[in-house]
Amino acid sequence: MEKFGVGQGVRREEDPRLLKGKGLFVNDVNIPNQAYAIILRSPHAHAEIKSIDISQALKAKGVIGIYTGKDIAEDKLGVPGMPAKWLRPDGQPMKYRPQPPLALGRVRYVGDPVALIIADTIDQAKDGAELIDVDYDPLASITDTEQTILDGVPLVWDDYPDNVSGQFEKGDLDSVSLAFKKASHIVKRKFKISRVFAQYMEPRGAIGVYDASEQRFTLYADVQYPHRVRQLLAEKIFSIPEQDIRVVSRDVGGGFGTKGWQYAEHRLVLWASKRIGRPIKWSCERSEAVQADEHGRDNITEAELAFDSDGKITGLKVDTIANIGAYLSAIRNLLAVSLSLGGLIGVYEVPSAYVRVRTVHSNSNPTAPYRGAGRPEATYVIERMLDEAARELNIDPIELRRRNIIPSENMPVNTALGQNYDCGQFLENQEKVLEMANYKEFINRQEEASTRGKLRGIGIANPIEEAASPIPDFSEIRFATDGSATVLMGTKSQGQGHETIYKQIISERLGLAPEEVRVIDGDTDRVAFGMGTMGSRSTVVGGSALFYAADKIIDKAKIIAANLLEASISDIEFANGKFFVIGTDQEIALKEVAKASFIPAKLPEGTDPGLYESSTFLPSDSTYPNGSHVSEVEIDPDTGVVDLVGYWVVDDVGIMINPTIVKGQIHGGIAQGVGQILMEQVCYDKDSGQLLSGSFMDYAMPRADNFVSIDVSSNEVPTFRNPLGVKGAGEAGTVGAMPSLMNAILDALAPIGVTNIEMPVTSERVWSAINKARLNYQ
């Protein structure tokens, strides 16, 4: 039997249930007497609502009720709130623009909710929606991020003269200005980072239940932070005690940040359930999802790197326009563009840095964290800049990185943008991945490809990310009278393998077999507290809380074991799930101690019966997963098709609880990064603002034949910021994939004169760029 503990690549405990169709997603949950909801959404990017006629729709068979923004306003539901106190570039306070659950007076993007239709069946609700007559007066719209700040463009909000919502700055501008004055060489580039959508396996859903007898709400929803959703709903929306709302999140089907917090539909199903006296179920259809959900990325960045005469970086300056969409509803709409800016430093010695981000409104869906939450964007900028600088300085891109990488002996390091790297072997990562990729022989592979008429390129990126930020999380271990244990976690799995990871930690610490442990998360009535899952934090923070809860179990059980073994507590040791008396053959299993803990006669005086302990862990600082990625591509110049022919990774996520799960997370993250570079993009018509990529017919996603076997190796450098030595792995793959692949593509195209290409790098764009370069060359 394979060992089931820390460091073992055991198979995931969840998989048999999920692969056999036994998962319990929101759409699998049904409540007796439930009604069904449909959201009527705006077909316009920007329009005044002159009138809404629901009279015919109310007569339709099965329709129970139809509600508009006016009904919501009359009940005075609250809004999420905005703790950030940013200023605009002119010094005026940033305006808070929360999205109403149903539009009031004006719609501001295609998909903006306009009416809620409730009926006995889903088809009846759809029929009712078809009969609603909305009289729109279309207005000019703006969806292109780069154009939002230009003079004379349409305004999303009439009192914002330039569509600029707010401004965030970080770093020392005076220091950077001095460095640029003294620089021997300055490299300046502009990068567009496209808008994308999560496209999870299971679209969102919500069921709202109001129990009049208890005067209590229950929300079933696929959210990543159940306790925080409960807090927001209670405190900000309904103004009731938290105990009067229960949030239940079971199988999620992928979240990637987009299912993180509180959507309008959550409020609507709860509000409507109380209004009509029946449970309300809303299920987002795949064709609705891109209109209904938050999007990710969508930045325009101008970056400058200053170098001395030896090719050492002396300063970094970055100016970003970040498209946050039509509304600013909560702090999460700002997180990806502000908290992860430190990643712009990368793994390099950058003595001075300054970054400014201007958030802009547009007639598009609000943006929020999406796998990496700003770290892929930041890493993309610094790693692309290093390749561009290498070309201008006529230095090999690997050598330029070697000259600037932070040496491991310099750790810990305080960066110019305020981060504290506690550990890492950045240069070792790079050298190892180059060896894996057989980098020295690349020129031979390039020449061989040329004989076949193909262009071959190789690219590298050395990502680092700030993960597991210092906010607390909770774990509880409860033993039952038969000696089995239940683990309750404040984190929330969306498919990452939490159940397996936590069982491995318990098995390592307490010696229990996996079948003796049950893991529960996602239910605010069962789990006392939790901050949920995001930012590669679950194993780091939740796992550490579990580690310390296990310590408390051992401490109490040792007292009981000493009494059972008739020995002094000081003579009792614990190992491999057993307590034993030092120097003797007397021993007792923890499971037997747990059973005895419920029998008062077997307890020492003053010991409370039962064996259950909890712990809340608060990290002292963030962790910094890092690594090195190499991509290799071949391009057919006649068709523009890009083939990924090699991918190698060395990743440092700290100590790996389960190497197999880590590798799966790296693979999944790479897939999302590769998808964004090669094909994924949320597109709007620039003239009408109409969404052009609302289904899989138009929004391309990578398939197996777009990939090559990904070779992943690990360099485990433990952090001492948590007892497990872990750093987080959920987003690492995406952070490195985007820049390494784009660097490889441009390396392949450089010999024929292509110097820039925007993502997604479709075959049409590549073909056009090649032919344009050839014309210029002639």
Side-chain angles (χ1 to χ4, degrees):
M1 178 181 176
E2 61 182 334
K3 182 179 183 295
F4 197 95
V6 171
Q8 304 299 309
V10 297
R11 289 175 291 184
R12 299 190 347 155
E13 293 280 297
E14 303 93 325
D15 288 351
R17 172 175 62 86
L18 295 171
L19 292 172
K20 292 176 182 177
K22 302 297 185 182
L24 190 61
F25 301 92
V26 178
N27 213 37
D28 297 315
V29 178
N30 292 288
I31 310 297
N33 198 36
Q34 70 187 15
Y36 295 83
I38 286 289
I39 308 290
L40 180 66
R41 301 183 182 277
S42 168
H44 300 282
H46 201 191
E48 293 285 354
I49 300 176
K50 297 176 68 176
S51 65
I52 303 177
D53 185 355
I54 63 173
S55 58
Q56 293 303 310
L58 283 171
K59 298 175 184 178
K61 181 181 179 180
V63 171
I64 300 166
I66 298 175
Y67 305 102
T68 66
K70 182 180 177 182
D71 299 304
I72 301 294
E74 287 175 353
D75 274 10
K76 298 180 180 179
L77 292 189
V79 293
M82 175 51 63
K85 305 299 180 186
W86 291 14
L87 300 178
R88 281 178 26 86
D90 58 11
Q92 295 298 309
M94 175 184 71
K95 292 184 174 66
Y96 175 41
R97 302 297 192 189
Q99 181 176 10
L102 297 172
L104 275 170
R106 185 182 291 194
V107 292
R108 288 182 165 85
Y109 67 92
V110 173
D112 213 348
V114 174
L116 174 70
I117 303 94
I118 300 170
D120 289 324
T121 70
I122 190 68
D123 288 335
Q124 289 170 342
K126 290 180 179 180
D127 290 343
E130 293 285 343
L131 297 173
I132 297 175
D133 184 11
V134 184
D135 186 4
Y136 293 102
D137 184 10
L139 303 171
S141 63
I142 179 73
T143 55
D144 185 277
T145 303
E146 195 166 16
Q147 293 183 359
T148 53
I149 61 172
L150 301 180
D151 292 338
V153 299
L155 300 178
V156 180
W157 298 91
D158 295 339
D159 55 348
Y160 267 173
D162 52 9
N163 285 319
V164 177
S165 165
Q167 177 172 289
F168 182 83
E169 297 174 280
K170 197 175 185 69
D172 187 339
L173 181 57
D174 291 338
S175 175
V176 170
S177 298
L178 181 61
F180 273 73
K181 285 181 181 179
K182 295 180 178 180
S184 297
H185 197 93
I186 296 173
V187 179
K188 183 175 182 179
R189 294 290 188 274
K190 178 189 285 187
F191 304 111
K192 294 184 179 181
I193 298 177
S194 55
R195 175 176 285 241
V196 289
F197 179 68
Q199 299 289 13
Y200 16 70
M201 291 176 64
E202 185 82 4
R204 289 193 303 113
I207 303 173
V209 183
Y210 181 72
D211 187 329
S213 63
E214 290 191 352
Q215 297 185 343
R216 192 167 191 254
F217 291 103
T218 298
L219 174 68
Y220 298 89
D222 46 354
V223 295
Q224 297 175 216
Y225 332 137
H227 289 81
R228 292 162 69 185
V229 169
R230 179 184 68 172
Q231 180 185 12
L232 187 146
L233 287 167
E235 181 181 322
K236 299 293 186 180
I237 307 302
F238 293 108
S239 298
I240 58 177
E242 280 190 51
Q243 66 190 30
D244 291 343
I245 295 183
R246 178 189 182 192
V247 176
V248 181
S249 180
R250 289 174 172 154
D251 289 320
V252 172
F256 311 117
T258 307
K259 290 182 180 178
W261 212 337
Q262 210 278 319
Y263 278 93
E265 292 86 3
H266 300 155
R267 287 171 259 173
L268 289 173
V269 294
L270 292 172
W271 173 82
S273 176
K274 183 177 182 181
R275 187 139 180 166
I276 72 167
R278 288 174 62 179
I280 305 293
K281 182 172 186 174
W282 171 76
S283 298
C284 187
E285 297 190 357
R286 182 69 68 180
S287 59
E288 181 186 10
V290 183
Q291 299 179 52
D293 298 355
E294 292 165 326
H295 298 166
R297 319 280 196 234
D298 202 351
N299 298 339
I300 305 291
T301 293
E302 291 187 354
E304 296 178 79
L305 266 181
F307 292 87
D308 65 16
S309 57
D310 294 324
K312 293 278 287 182
I313 299 169
T314 60
L316 169 68
K317 188 187 298 182
V318 176
D319 193 0
T320 293
I321 301 171
N323 189 340
I324 61 170
Y327 298 99
L328 177 56
S329 294
I331 188 66
R332 73 181 256 102
N333 300 124
L334 303 176
L335 293 179
V337 300
S338 60
L339 292 186
S340 300
L341 295 178
L344 289 163
I345 296 291
V347 299
Y348 307 104
E349 295 182 303
V350 180
S352 61
Y354 168 78
V355 57
R356 175 179 73 153
V357 177
R358 286 170 288 170
T359 53
V360 296
H361 285 298
S362 70
N363 295 112
S364 60
N365 294 52
T367 55
Y370 167 64
R371 198 170 193 168
R375 281 98 92 190
E377 298 95 306
T379 299
Y380 184 85
V381 170
I382 186 63
E383 292 294 335
R384 287 286 298 111
M385 286 297 291
L386 284 166
D387 263 36
E388 293 297 313
R391 289 190 183 93
E392 282 199 19
L393 298 173
N394 196 28
I395 301 174
D396 181 83
I398 302 300
E399 174 58 27
L400 185 62
R401 287 173 169 83
R402 286 190 183 120
R403 294 183 191 183
N404 288 282
I405 284 178
I406 299 169
S408 55
E409 59 267 22
N410 286 8
M411 298 293 183
V413 169
N414 291 311
T415 75
L417 289 177
Q419 295 168 303
N420 180 263
Y421 297 168
D422 60 319
C423 62
Q425 297 175 350
F426 307 146
L427 183 58
E428 290 87 339
N429 293 340
Q430 176 173 290
E431 298 309 307
K432 185 175 181 179
V433 80
L434 291 174
E435 183 180 343
M436 290 167 60
N438 198 9
Y439 184 78
K440 292 180 180 179
E441 297 297 320
F442 169 71
I443 187 67
N444 296 330
R445 299 196 294 274
Q446 189 177 46
E447 289 173 355
E448 187 278 330
S450 180
T451 65
R452 294 182 283 107
K454 300 294 181 69
L455 304 169
R456 200 170 183 111
I458 195 166
I460 191 169
N462 295 320
I464 189 167
E465 54 168 320
E466 183 173 0
S469 57
I471 54 177
D473 224 305
F474 171 85
S475 176
E476 182 179 1
I477 303 171
R478 299 178 189 169
F479 275 87
T481 56
D482 66 350
S484 62
T486 299
V487 170
L488 300 105
M489 301 298 303
T491 57
K492 179 71 201 88
S493 178
Q494 301 119 53
Q496 300 96 324
H498 287 188
E499 182 178 337
T500 306
I501 293 290
Y502 294 142
K503 285 187 177 184
Q504 286 182 260
I505 294 171
I506 282 290
S507 181
E508 186 78 17
R509 298 289 292 140
L510 300 182
L512 298 178
E515 62 270 15
E516 296 174 323
V517 181
R518 186 181 183 201
V519 178
I520 292 174
D521 67 7
D523 189 334
T524 59
D525 270 9
R526 302 166 84 180
V527 181
F529 168 77
M531 296 300 289
T533 290
M534 70 290 178
S536 303
R537 69 183 300 272
S538 292
T539 304
V540 177
V541 189
S544 295
L546 181 57
F547 179 97
Y548 285 123
D551 268 358
K552 292 181 180 181
I553 289 288
I554 293 169
D555 289 344
K556 180 175 180 180
K558 182 182 288 188
I559 297 171
I560 302 172
N563 188 63
L564 294 171
L565 295 171
E566 298 180 345
S568 170
I569 295 174
S570 61
D571 291 333
I572 299 294
E573 293 288 345
F574 179 75
N576 301 318
K578 295 180 180 181
F579 293 95
F580 58 90
V581 181
I582 299 172
T584 74
D585 60 357
Q586 291 182 281
E587 64 180 33
I588 186 170
L590 172 62
K591 186 173 181 178
E592 296 306 314
V593 175
K595 292 178 182 179
S597 73
F598 292 93
I599 304 173
K602 293 187 176 184
L603 300 179
E605 186 176 348
T607 301
D608 293 335
L611 191 58
Y612 16 78
E613 298 288 346
S614 66
S615 178
T616 301
F617 177 69
L618 175 63
S620 60
D621 203 344
S622 302
T623 60
Y624 292 93
N626 60 87
S628 192
H629 293 225
V630 169
S631 301
E632 192 165 328
V633 300
E634 257 190 17
I635 298 175
D636 185 340
D638 294 328
T639 63
V641 171
V642 178
D643 285 327
L644 182 63
V645 295
Y647 204 106
W648 303 268
V649 185
V650 172
D651 227 273
D652 171 16
V653 298
I655 299 300
M656 295 183 291
I657 306 299
N658 186 315
T660 301
I661 288 179
V662 168
K663 188 173 289 188
Q665 287 293 303
I666 301 299
H667 284 183
I670 288 169
Q672 288 182 276
V674 167
Q676 177 156 7
I677 294 298
L678 292 182
M679 61 193 71
E680 293 188 47
Q681 186 177 22
V682 176
C683 296
Y684 295 92
D685 180 82
K686 288 187 177 182
D687 295 327
S688 68
Q690 189 58 236
L691 179 66
L692 301 178
S693 53
S695 74
F696 289 150
M697 292 291 290
D698 305 295
Y699 188 100
M701 289 224 298
R703 301 178 300 186
D705 59 358
N706 298 117
F707 290 94
V708 68
S709 179
I710 300 171
D711 189 359
V712 180
S713 181
S714 294
N715 181 16
E716 293 179 280
V717 181
T719 178
F720 293 99
R721 290 178 173 168
N722 63 75
L724 297 169
V726 297
K727 297 178 180 177
E731 293 156 302
T734 310
V735 178
M738 288 168 54
S740 72
L741 180 54
M742 186 64 91
N743 283 340
I745 291 168
L746 286 169
D747 181 61
L749 295 173
I752 58 174
V754 176
T755 58
N756 185 48
I757 193 165
E758 293 179 6
M759 64 176 80
V761 186
T762 62
S763 56
E764 188 275 333
R765 281 185 175 171
V766 174
W767 183 86
S768 297
I770 290 172
N771 283 277
K772 182 178 179 181
R774 284 172 171 168
L775 287 173
N776 290 338
Y777 181 76
Q778 293 172 353

